Amino acid sequence: MSAPDRPRHGIATVCLSGTLEDKLAAAAAAGFDGVEIFENDLVSAPASPAEVRARCADLGLSIDLYQPFRDFEAVPPDVLAANLRRAELKFDVMERLGADTMLVCSSVSPDSVDDDDLAAEQLHLLADRAAARGLRIAYEALAWGRHVNTYDHSWRIVRRAAHPALGLCLDSFHVLSRGSDPAGIRVIPGDKIFFLQLADAPKLHMDVLQWSRHHRLFPGQGSFDLAGFVSTVLGTGYAGPLSLEVFNDVFRQADPRRAAVDAMRSLLALREDSGDATLPPAPALSGHAFTELAVDGTSGPVVARALTALGFTHTGQHRSKPVQLWEQGEARILLNATPRAAAGAEVAALGVESADPVTSAKRAEALLAPVLPRQAGADEAALSSVAAPDGTAVFFCRSGDWRSDFAPAGAGRAPGAGLTGTDHVSLTQPFDNFDEAALFYRSVLGLDPEPATEFAAPFGLVRSRAVTDEAKRVRIALNVARLRRGEWAPRVPSPQHVAFGSDDVIASAAAMRERGAPLLEIPDNYYDDLDARLAPPPGLLAALREHSVLYDRDETGEYLHFYTEVLGGRVFFEVVQRLHGYAGYGAVNAPVRMAAHRRLRART
């Protein structure tokens, strides 16, 4: 039998929310080949194992694993007898399901003893009974196992048991959470690795069981080197499924179809990271082509007046749509007044300059990004766009081809206020979509996630993570409130902003204030504290105070920035100046900005 063209993709039903029927339908719709049936999901299902088997067959899903079977090995004779009876009954279930492999977790029972010979003897006995039915046992070392908690220890026991129906299950979380070196996996024969489970996770210092139960993530959403881990396992000759097993409080409550798509996207991206180049390559991005704001009859004029005061010029009018083009330097804002359900102003679309927009679009489709329908006139640019997890449209553009869709407006550009281009766009994500969004921009656009930061805002803890290309020409900052209760604060729902670059932010602030721009006022207390913390030169401190410009400094450089008031409900603008390679976003100043915005909103 020839080897498959690609590894099979699997997912444990525990990864998804809903009933077993919901989970199976979601897995199939996302393109998975097989599933691990989690025992609790089957126990709760009204369908018999035979009916579940038939349903999976109808959906094109194999049942690759039945799990978990707990607390079996290295126990006294009376406990062993009870465990063997329990196993035989589970083998009955597996036969009706059509599953040929059962996952046995290393024991956490107080009945077990630290005796590898006894563990091997009893696992050999279990494997013998499984083999009599044409089944296999995959033994897994839980990271919190009572006596066996590392993969190398579990391999010693499996090797000692020496039964062809007994092999290993390797789980990336159990291996990497303990800091084990996966290099040792190379000595394990591939045919003795019966199953591979994958999960990512953030770096946390906490009890490993709680870490596992609540904070696992899909590959590419955490901090583990899963690409290296998978490459090592595949290097042994392992030919089984790449299967996801993720315990996460958010995923367990999310729409299972959406979570399954996110899961599949993570596996496709992981295969690429592991050297399996099955995806169209991510073309280089060279900058922000435009940021599109959706506006209505009330917010549109407010935003337009603010843009004028910031030094922008209304340079173009779309030939067939109610969309205005506003420009200053290489910064471009589109105001789209197409009727929609939501009121106010919001970021509706991001245009990114791609070296190959067609390939960018093909890659997005291959990674299951929803392609957005677009009606274009005969002479209009054929732009491709996909939807990000929060609904923002992402357009792939090349060298301003899209600008031919706009007829000139006015007599040319007015003198600006020193803005050079778009530095970054900041988008607040729904709580459930934060990790999904980071994976989307990383995999679909080929952007690199920067380390996540957290800061204490006036209304709770905020988590922020930026994604950017290597040259820092495209920057997207993703933010989320870690926990929100009630509706009182902060009275700016899911704020979004566009940050523009300037070579002289003090001069830009002065020019904009002269034009009547609605710039945000920063209290004197901030500058007194800034003087105590960072001691900027007195002249600079005075200029910062005079123009309500904020300041940050790190080991690489300096960051000067100021904000407008909130315009049209949730959108505002920022002007930034980066000196000497500063790569951050002034997160230390975000609580000051949020409090200042809150004061203004409280007056209205």
Side-chain angles (χ1 to χ4, degrees):
M1 181 176 178
S2 62
D5 292 335
R6 62 165 179 81
R8 298 176 67 257
H9 298 146
I11 187 169
T13 56
V14 74
C15 297
L16 304 172
S17 176
T19 64
L20 182 57
E21 177 70 15
D22 297 328
K23 298 171 185 233
L24 297 178
F32 282 95
D33 303 302
V35 292
E36 305 172 36
I37 297 290
F38 200 71
E39 184 176 69
N40 289 5
D41 290 323
L42 181 65
V43 169
S44 302
S48 69
E51 289 170 333
V52 171
R53 177 180 186 171
R55 178 57 178 157
C56 285
D58 290 342
L59 292 169
L61 295 170
S62 60
I63 300 178
D64 299 325
L65 189 74
Y66 184 70
Q67 65 126 327
F69 191 78
R70 301 186 186 278
D71 297 332
F72 174 79
E73 79 282 10
V75 293
D78 59 326
V79 178
L80 175 64
N83 286 346
L84 288 171
R85 176 184 179 278
R86 179 164 55 98
E88 292 286 1
L89 294 175
K90 294 304 178 184
F91 291 159
D92 292 342
V93 172
M94 291 174 62
E95 288 180 331
R96 296 195 292 271
L97 278 174
D100 67 356
T101 305
M102 181 167 75
L103 173 68
V104 174
C105 304
S106 64
S107 181
V108 298
S109 170
D111 292 325
S112 66
V113 296
D114 188 7
D115 186 332
D116 286 3
D117 288 332
L118 182 60
E121 175 186 329
Q122 294 181 351
L123 285 168
H124 183 102
L125 179 59
L126 179 65
D128 217 32
R129 295 197 178 198
R133 298 193 184 211
L135 306 176
R136 305 189 307 171
I137 301 299
Y139 183 53
E140 174 186 64
L142 294 178
W144 53 89
R146 181 174 176 85
H147 304 296
V148 180
N149 49 42
T150 63
Y151 78 87
D152 50 331
H153 193 173
S154 64
W155 169 233
R156 290 197 301 272
I157 292 173
V158 166
R159 188 172 52 190
R160 192 169 301 182
H163 196 291
L166 178 65
L168 288 180
C169 174
L170 293 178
D171 182 311
S172 62
F173 182 86
H174 293 304
V175 174
L176 301 176
S177 65
R178 292 188 61 88
S180 299
D181 184 356
I185 293 171
R186 296 182 184 133
V187 304
I188 303 173
D191 61 359
K192 294 303 287 183
I193 301 174
F194 283 3
F195 210 77
L196 175 62
Q197 293 178 321
L198 299 170
D200 208 338
K203 290 182 179 178
L204 298 173
H205 298 286
M206 65 185 307
D207 174 76
V208 69
L209 176 58
Q210 295 304 310
W211 188 11
S212 172
R213 287 287 179 262
H214 302 285
H215 300 286
R216 293 199 197 193
L217 297 169
F218 292 133
Q221 296 177 335
S223 303
F224 290 163
D225 177 15
L226 287 190
F229 179 81
V230 169
S231 295
T232 298
V233 175
L234 295 181
T236 68
Y238 171 77
L242 304 182
S243 191
L244 299 170
E245 189 197 44
V246 172
F247 302 87
N248 183 290
D249 296 336
V250 172
F251 299 162
R252 291 183 188 185
Q253 299 181 54
D255 180 339
R257 287 182 178 263
R258 179 168 181 162
V261 168
D262 190 32
M264 177 58 77
R265 182 180 296 138
S266 76
L267 268 184
L268 294 171
L270 176 60
R271 287 180 57 204
E272 180 181 53
D273 292 342
S274 303
D276 183 5
T278 60
L279 296 170
L285 303 180
S286 57
H288 292 268
F290 60 80
T291 306
E292 180 180 312
L293 305 182
V295 294
D296 58 15
T298 301
S299 63
V302 172
V303 175
R305 285 194 298 272
L307 288 172
T308 299
L310 294 177
F312 281 81
T313 302
H314 176 201
T315 59
Q317 184 67 43
H318 199 278
R319 299 181 190 277
S320 64
K321 301 180 178 69
V323 180
Q324 299 175 351
L325 169 61
W326 291 73
E327 297 183 89
Q328 181 178 178
E330 295 299 315
R332 289 173 286 270
I333 296 290
L334 304 185
L335 298 186
N336 188 339
T338 301
R340 58 199 173 89
E346 64 181 6
V347 175
L350 306 177
V352 293
E353 294 278 0
S354 169
D356 186 347
V358 172
T359 299
S360 289
K362 288 180 178 178
R363 178 181 177 85
E365 281 195 74
L367 284 161
L368 309 181
V371 177
L372 297 174
R374 184 171 183 268
Q375 293 181 344
D379 298 326
E380 294 178 6
L383 298 181
S384 298
S385 64
V386 296
D390 65 352
T392 302
V394 179
F395 285 86
F396 303 109
C397 312
R398 191 210 307 266
S399 303
D401 290 348
W402 57 274
R403 295 181 64 179
S404 62
D405 294 351
F406 290 82
R413 297 196 193 191
L419 302 189
T420 57
T422 298
D423 183 86
H424 67 273
V425 179
S426 180
L427 303 173
T428 298
Q429 301 297 299
F431 180 85
D432 289 355
N433 304 140
F434 183 80
D435 293 311
E436 179 187 1
L439 175 63
F440 172 88
Y441 287 110
R442 173 185 176 273
S443 60
V444 173
L445 273 67
L447 300 177
D448 296 322
E450 298 180 348
T453 61
E454 294 182 350
F455 57 86
F459 313 103
L461 196 66
V462 171
R463 185 182 184 201
S464 181
R465 188 171 201 178
V467 290
T468 181
D469 67 306
E470 186 175 358
K472 311 296 184 186
R473 292 172 295 192
V474 174
R475 290 182 168 105
I476 302 170
L478 307 171
N479 306 293
V480 67
R482 292 300 304 270
L483 188 64
R484 177 62 53 79
R485 291 288 183 266
E487 300 296 329
W488 173 77
R491 295 188 67 184
V492 181
S494 302
Q496 306 169 317
H497 77 269
V498 184
F500 307 113
S502 170
D503 292 333
D504 188 340
V505 79
I506 300 294
S508 292
M512 292 174 185
R513 196 173 295 278
E514 181 68 22
R515 296 167 186 246
L519 303 187
L520 189 65
E521 296 291 339
I522 302 301
D524 279 346
N525 289 340
Y526 167 80
Y527 297 99
D528 293 339
D529 177 71
L530 179 64
D531 189 19
R533 284 189 300 112
L534 298 179
L540 174 60
L541 180 63
L544 296 172
R545 190 189 300 264
E546 178 183 357
H547 297 289
S548 282
V549 174
L550 299 107
Y551 178 87
D552 188 30
R553 185 172 68 219
D554 63 14
E555 65 279 3
T556 62
E558 300 168 280
Y559 188 68
L560 287 74
H561 59 133
F562 64 90
Y563 299 94
T564 69
E565 300 173 1
V566 176
L567 309 165
R570 62 185 295 208
V571 172
F572 58 96
F573 299 117
E574 180 184 11
V575 178
V576 312
Q577 182 179 5
R578 299 177 182 274
L579 297 173
H580 313 300
Y582 181 99
Y585 298 86
V588 68
N589 296 323
V592 179
R593 183 263 302 166
M594 294 175 71
H597 275 153
R598 164 66 183 178
R599 284 194 299 274
L600 288 176
R601 298 289 292 177
R603 297 173 193 161
T604 60

